Amino acid sequence: MTPLDHDAGRDSSVRALRAAMTWAAGAPGDPPALASGHLPRVRELLDAHRLDARFLRRVDAEGPRTFGDDLVRGVRERQERTAAGVVRRIALARQVADLLRRDGAAQPLVLVKGFTLYGRTGDPAHLRRSGDLDVVSDEPQQLVDTLVREGFVPEGELDVLDEYCRLRSPDGQLVEVHSHVRVPRLPDGVRPSDCDPRLHPGDWPQPWHLETYQLGQKRLAGLLDSGDNAVGLPLLRPEPALLAQVCHAFGDYVTAVFPLPTATVRLDEIAAGADYAALPDFRPELLAELTEETGAHDAVAFFRSMAVALLGTDPLAGAGLPGRCEPREFFPVDAWWDGVDGYTIDRGWHPEQLVVRDSAAIPALLDRFDAPTVDLLAPGDTHRVAAPGQGAAGRSVHRTVPGHAFDVEARFTRASDGGLTVVVSVPAAAAGAFSALSLNFGDHRYECFYEPDGDRFRHDDYSLADPGGNGFTSHFTRRDGRDVFEARLPRAATGDPEDGVLPLLLGARHQRAGWGRMLGGAVLPLRLRLSERPHRARG
């Protein structure tokens, strides 16, 4: 999808599109007035938020209204394809369950998200598009071995955080094997003043980082129903299903330091959480127990806060949950954007930006940091930055464990074709650790890694548009006791902002191998001015 960067203060399009999505998700009231030019965007956004079925349910009850017959017809055709896909995934889940039983693996099939809500209700409004079948296993390699023997083919890396393996079934469907359900949570005792960049100028040493609880298969297996449901498979009870859903939504939120153009948090996940809470067999006391056990207070509070702000209701009001689960407006994000031992940054509470982003969202975070501007107006222009150690003259958020030496030096050079060359160096990583570089331009994001054990280097392209095909290149050298990353970014690899100012969060760190703890690191917020185009007013 093309990024929807509009200024909501001047352009009613973003407000109309946001209102269309919240209406489709169940917010009360009438749908917004829409111009014909909005309708293709509405269709894209319904898919991005996984709201086709909910939209059709409401249109069937209230009429096509402002959306028009053509849009409704197109969404209905797409939803028919989604329903067929759900039928295929249900059949795939039955196949995997049978294979586990025949193999004697002694582990039940534990499904999360996906068609769980539909299975519990049989309601066509709960049929949602999904690209895979999510399975949780305490013995993920055993499950993988069982499936591989039956013709499933692994794809990509093994054991990346909670996602252990992706496998392609013989009929082309994707199975994701997770070693646990990840429960993101804020560090105990952290306050808004601890995470507000405006209160911490210069080089900011910050001890806070996001924490994670690992909710495993054994605990979840004890929370399955009997299989007497619409899909004939044991499914999670409403309480753990709600918890898994809202933890996934909260995880998407905390790892998007810059909001995505659309659906940073999918509205279907918020609506689904509300539906679980409304089921007749929902037990608030069990959700309270699971929340205390896993420390999921922040995820539950986030879900409730999103529902209040966007759907006009608190699905868990009066449920007797712990006080830390109450709706609030303090939900910091990870400045590194992967949610693994980064820095907790409060960018303010703007839930509407999580539906459709406007042009104020990314500059607002850099304003909050008072990020310095680097002029790179002509080919050959060069600028250097470093952190930490510059005190009030620098700008970074950083952390180093006692006894570990870390600093980062970066050089930016404007290339003759208008692109950038970025050279970043850090002290050489020791054995048992690795060096990492993150270049986050918002919709274009890159990471580079060097691990001395095995002399391994790689880069990953997480860009939203044309990842791997935008011309980004990188290489690594070790010299003079430092790990040196060099990245070459043509304009297609950074985007072309209207005001000529490129946002960047530059991150560098040492981390223990196996995605262990960070030993030292820093994130530098920057504005790279590439042209003299006048700045747009920001509201």
Side-chain angles (χ1 to χ4, degrees), residues 65-77:
R65 312 284 286 274
T66 188
F67 301 101
D69 292 337
D70 289 344
L71 172 65
V72 173
R73 186 180 306 110
V75 173
R76 199 176 301 281
E77 291 171 354

Side-chain angles (χ1 to χ4, degrees), residues 129-485:
R129 182 171 72 81
S130 176
D132 52 47
L133 184 73
D134 290 299
V135 180
V136 179
S137 174
D138 288 342
E139 300 289 342
Q141 189 57 53
Q142 181 190 61
L143 193 154
V144 169
D145 291 343
T146 296
L147 297 184
V148 167
R149 284 194 292 270
E150 299 297 329
F152 288 67
V153 179
E155 294 184 352
E157 291 185 81
L158 275 180
D159 198 13
V160 179
L161 304 177
D162 60 310
E163 185 180 293
Y164 183 82
C165 185
R166 295 159 61 93
L167 301 106
R168 189 71 60 176
S169 70
D171 66 348
Q173 297 189 75
L174 190 63
V175 177
E176 284 193 356
V177 179
H178 297 262
S179 57
H180 58 273
V181 170
R182 188 180 181 191
V183 181
R185 54 192 188 185
L186 302 181
D188 290 339
V190 70
R191 301 164 300 174
S193 59
D194 297 319
C195 304
D196 189 340
R198 297 170 299 183
L199 303 179
H200 302 274
D203 282 324
W204 172 18
Q206 200 211 64
W208 309 104
H209 58 85
L210 294 167
E211 299 173 352
T212 300
Y213 180 88
Q214 299 181 359
L215 180 57
Q217 176 198 35
K218 183 177 181 180
R219 180 68 170 106
L220 292 171
L223 298 166
L224 295 172
D225 67 14
S226 64
D228 183 16
N229 53 49
V231 298
L233 286 164
L235 297 174
L236 288 175
R237 284 189 48 83
E239 307 81 14
L242 184 153
L243 195 71
Q245 195 85 61
V246 304
C247 286
H248 184 262
F250 187 51
D252 284 346
Y253 169 79
V254 297
T255 55
V257 58
F258 289 136
L260 302 179
T262 60
T264 302
V265 174
R266 291 173 178 151
L267 283 177
D268 174 74
E269 296 207 85
I270 306 303
D275 288 335
Y276 282 123
L279 292 176
D281 57 342
F282 177 76
R283 292 170 46 204
E285 69 278 9
L286 179 54
L287 179 62
E289 176 187 329
L290 290 170
T291 300
E292 291 281 19
E293 177 184 327
T294 62
H297 308 81
D298 300 306
V300 173
F302 175 78
F303 156 65
R304 296 176 68 180
S305 302
M306 287 286 286
V308 168
L310 300 175
L311 303 184
T313 185
D314 179 357
L316 295 172
L321 298 179
R324 289 162 55 201
C325 297
E326 290 295 315
R328 58 179 189 255
E329 296 187 354
F330 173 56
F331 295 102
V333 296
D334 186 350
W336 186 278
W337 67 262
D338 66 0
V340 180
D341 208 9
Y343 311 89
T344 52
I345 302 298
D346 184 11
R347 66 179 182 207
W349 178 238
H350 304 286
E352 74 283 354
Q353 298 285 10
L354 310 179
V355 180
V356 178
R357 186 185 73 197
D358 64 43
S359 62
I362 289 178
L365 176 62
L366 296 178
D367 289 345
R368 211 168 173 93
F369 265 110
D370 193 21
T373 298
V374 173
D375 285 336
L376 298 166
L377 300 175
D381 283 358
T382 297
H383 191 92
R384 289 176 170 82
V385 295
Q390 294 187 343
R395 192 58 177 126
S396 70
V397 54
H398 63 92
R399 180 169 65 251
T400 305
V401 301
H404 188 83
F406 187 86
D407 69 282
V408 54
E409 299 175 353
R411 184 179 76 246
F412 301 90
T413 303
R414 189 73 181 273
S416 58
D417 63 358
L420 294 171
T421 298
V422 182
V423 179
V424 179
S425 76
V426 299
F434 63 85
S435 295
L437 167 68
S438 167
L439 298 172
N440 184 353
F441 297 97
D443 296 342
H444 298 80
R445 301 178 297 165
Y446 309 92
E447 280 192 323
C448 301
F449 302 93
Y450 176 71
E451 193 166 0
D453 298 340
D455 190 27
R456 292 188 292 268
F457 169 72
R458 79 165 201 265
H459 80 243
D460 296 327
D461 184 346
Y462 296 98
S463 299
L464 302 185
D466 197 21
N470 55 32
F472 175 87
T473 58
S474 67
H475 71 268
F476 171 86
T477 57
R478 174 168 280 191
R479 59 176 183 263
D480 300 326
R482 295 185 72 84
D483 288 346
V484 182
F485 300 90

